[in-house]
Amino acid sequence: MADTKKDKILGVKGMNDILPDDAPLWELFENTVQSVLRSYGYQQIRTPIIEPTALFARGLGEVTDIVEKEMYSFTDSMNGDHLTLRPECTAGVVRSVLEHNLTYDAPKRLWYAGPMFRHERPQRGRYRQFHQVGAEAVGFSGPDIDAELILLCQRLWDDLGLADIRLEINSIGDAAERNRHRADLIAYFEQHIDQLDTEAGRRLHSNPLRILDTKNPAMQELVNNAPRLLDYLGDESRAHFEGVQRFLNHNNVRFTINPRLVRGMDYYNRTVFEWVTDQLGAQGTVCGGGRYDPLVEIFGGKPTPAVGFAMGVERVLELMKASGGSFARSQCDVYVVHQGEAAQMQACVLAERIRDAGLDVVLHCAAAGGAGSFKSQMKRADASGAAFAVILGDDEIARGEATLKHLRAADMANNQQAIAIADLVDHLIDQIVGGDDHEHGHLHAGHYPTHH
Ligand code: ATP
Ligand code: MG
């Protein structure tokens, strides 16, 4: 049917556009993340956004928030395959590691970044498409690598200037230890069955550990007094947990032990950790991670220890904004305006030469009403945040000259001069890179205003 009404089509609820004004913030975050991960020797891996539904059902556990109610799953209408938009990336990374036998010669330090999809109720810090950055260390067994991942996060917060994120850690032991604890936990909850909410009641026999993770305020007292998994750890689990703490202490990383910290997915064992803040309201967890030694075997590989974390990028960015910095960035170093036909062609050629020299240039181009008056072009030049406008008119071109206007000069009465076109590029480089106008320079990728 013809779409004659021309109503606006809006984006999907809970899935956000990242608009140009926010792009500098995202780029600053992404560049910082990349350099921190590289400084620990982590290599990037990029897996598809769509995976077989079975990957998540098997990997995350059937009785998890994600698999029970948050997955965007669909049937491929071409061939009937059951597919899911990835709700997280650990399962995909482990699948890929196995499929390509990446750990055949040595353990691997990997990281990823990208959009994830969960059908949740959208609210501040909780979206249906959101972004995660995560790292997975596959094939490492000791507490040293658990601590490394935590140190890496700490370095990232420091580099981003984020001070109000605290670390909580716990150990959830191994399967046998959890089973012993589980029996006592179920017995405890059964004694207080009247205090369980519906969700907890449903999980009592399928996944009682997850009840400890409840966000229901009415159940906090109950879960606080529940048997602590920490008291059920055997010697090896205890030694591993103490090892992690020793590495953290020797590096002056502050943490608290939260015996109720369990993490959402079934595949975790031993070390679990979360980075939390009080500045984001209810959505206070910015990063969660832990050890998941059983997962590779669950996916059909030979037993391979592994540990990783995932952080919610939107939540970290909100913290960065709350830290009070300004992340605005100018569009270019130089804005080129022109009047007249010959000038327009010359302006295009000149803009290319200035870019050859490494500067960022916006060339004024015709919009619906034409190139616009000189005055309106200069308004655009100013709004671009450029340090300089280069002005070309047919008369000036005839003299082989351009006018250079310093848009941010202290002395606005005396801020423009005629310069031979042949000398213009050298002059600009001198002014922007060489001279005391350094801070306007955009010569290097990742040249951002500092926000500390
Ligand atoms: P929560 O308890 O907040 O639902 P989670 O345990 O489901 O978190 P993980 O699966 O561990 O979260 O994902 C790691 C991080 O990804 C979270 O700590 C959070 O910062 C971020 N995150 C998770 N779900 C969302 C979402 N729907 N929107 C934005 N960020 C999210
Ligand atoms: Mg969740």
Side-chain angles (χ1 to χ4, degrees):
M1 202 176 71
D3 183 8
T4 49
K5 271 240 209 75
K6 303 291 187 233
D7 286 338
K8 264 189 208 146
I9 297 173
L10 302 177
V12 177
K13 186 178 169 201
M15 305 203 177
N16 301 315
D17 299 312
I18 296 161
L19 300 175
D21 276 353
D22 270 340
L25 180 65
W26 281 79
E27 288 170 14
L28 171 60
F29 173 78
E30 286 160 1
N31 291 339
T32 310
V33 160
Q34 281 207 21
S35 84
V36 169
L37 282 153
R38 208 170 287 153
S39 76
Y40 288 80
Y42 285 68
Q43 299 172 294
Q44 192 179 179
I45 182 166
R46 302 187 188 199
T47 60
I49 282 171
I50 297 176
E51 296 278 0
T53 301
L55 184 80
F56 303 112
R58 201 197 290 182
L60 275 54
E62 298 280 357
V63 196
T64 54
D65 280 349
I66 292 180
V67 175
E68 277 183 336
K69 55 187 187 201
E70 294 174 0
M71 294 208 300
Y72 281 95
S73 298
F74 58 98
T75 306
D76 185 331
S77 60
M78 302 296 171
N79 59 13
D81 286 353
H82 296 288
L83 305 176
T84 293
L85 291 181
R86 65 183 184 196
E88 55 92 58
C89 209
T90 302
V93 168
V94 171
R95 174 201 54 70
S96 180
V97 166
L98 275 175
E99 197 166 323
H100 305 285
N101 202 13
L102 291 186
T103 52
Y104 76 99
D105 58 343
K108 281 277 183 301
R109 290 176 166 89
L110 303 169
W111 72 275
Y112 62 82
M116 309 295 156
F117 304 84
R118 296 184 193 178
H119 201 282
E120 304 197 64
R121 191 168 66 77
Q123 52 196 290
R124 179 185 182 200
R126 194 176 292 285
Y127 311 102
R128 290 180 175 175
Q129 174 175 314
F130 63 100
H131 296 77
Q132 286 185 336
V133 165
E136 314 290 355
V138 186
F140 298 94
S141 59
D144 48 353
I145 194 85
D146 303 18
E148 175 178 289
L149 287 163
I150 291 171
L151 290 170
L152 187 162
C153 291
Q154 177 72 65
R155 184 176 298 278
L156 178 64
W157 312 143
D158 291 347
D159 285 2
L160 293 172
L162 301 176
D164 294 320
I165 307 182
R166 55 175 201 278
L167 173 64
E168 297 188 350
I169 63 172
N170 191 21
S171 173
I172 58 171
D174 63 20
E177 290 151 6
R178 277 201 302 280
N179 271 336
R180 281 195 293 278
H181 169 256
R182 178 191 159 104
D184 290 354
L185 190 62
I186 292 177
Y188 169 81
F189 283 134
E190 277 174 339
Q191 279 164 24
H192 303 90
I193 196 105
D194 49 312
Q195 293 173 49
L196 298 184
D197 61 17
T198 347
E199 188 176 77
R202 200 163 39 82
R203 286 186 165 157
L204 180 54
H205 293 279
S206 56
N207 196 349
L209 198 58
R210 290 298 316 283
I211 301 177
L212 296 177
D213 197 22
T214 180
K215 286 166 183 136
N216 182 353
M219 284 177 53
Q220 296 308 308
E221 164 104 18
L222 180 70
V223 293
N224 273 335
N225 295 323
R228 291 161 21 126
L229 188 36
L230 274 181
D231 299 328
Y232 293 73
L233 298 187
D235 290 345
E236 277 186 44
S237 291
R238 196 183 306 278
H240 188 99
F241 191 40
E242 281 164 6
V244 175
Q245 294 175 57
R246 262 202 308 281
F247 278 104
L248 296 180
N249 285 328
H250 277 270
N251 285 283
N252 302 314
V253 176
R254 292 171 56 185
F255 60 87
T256 55
I257 296 174
N258 175 358
R260 286 181 43 201
L261 185 63
V262 292
R263 305 281 306 133
M265 282 56 134
D266 276 1
Y267 52 61
Y268 284 97
N269 72 325
R270 290 197 172 159
T271 316
V272 292
F273 62 88
E274 281 190 354
W275 292 94
V276 289
T277 175
D278 299 322
Q279 291 185 28
L280 298 179
Q283 272 58 250
T285 306
V286 291
C287 176
R291 184 160 275 286
Y292 52 92
D293 297 333
L295 188 63
V296 175
E297 228 181 329
I298 290 172
F299 282 172
K302 54 177 196 289
T304 306
V307 53
F309 67 74
M311 68 183 66
V313 177
E314 282 82 356
R315 295 184 192 180
V316 177
L317 295 188
E318 204 172 319
L319 274 183
M320 288 169 70
K321 283 184 179 169
S323 78
S326 159
F327 302 97
R329 191 180 44 181
S330 58
Q331 201 184 352
C332 56
D333 303 307
V334 178
Y335 195 101
V336 179
V337 311
H338 48 82
Q339 287 279 283
E341 226 170 89
Q344 182 182 17
M345 195 54 69
Q346 178 70 59
C348 178
V349 171
L350 187 58
E352 285 298 310
R353 294 292 81 77
I354 304 172
R355 293 184 189 112
D356 288 344
L359 296 177
D360 299 339
V361 182
V362 170
L363 171 64
H364 189 86
C365 285
S373 68
F374 176 70
K375 199 171 155 206
S376 75
Q377 290 195 32
M378 285 309 294
K379 256 193 197 151
R380 289 284 174 74
D382 209 40
S384 74
F388 289 92
V390 169
I391 303 162
L392 288 168
D394 287 346
D395 295 350
E396 284 155 306
I397 296 209
R399 293 196 301 271
E401 285 182 344
T403 300
L404 183 65
K405 182 167 180 177
H406 194 332
L407 298 172
R408 320 283 152 202
D411 177 9
M412 283 313 255
N414 195 11
N415 64 344
Q416 61 180 59
Q417 63 187 115
I419 293 183
I421 289 178
D423 298 336
L424 188 80
V425 174
D426 282 348
H427 188 85
L428 274 170
I429 290 288
D430 220 43
Q431 291 281 307
I432 294 178
V433 186
D436 32 73
D437 257 306
H438 199 77
E439 67 205 57
H440 295 300
H442 271 178
L443 250 195
H444 312 288
H447 188 112
Y448 297 96
T450 48
H451 61 286
H452 296 292

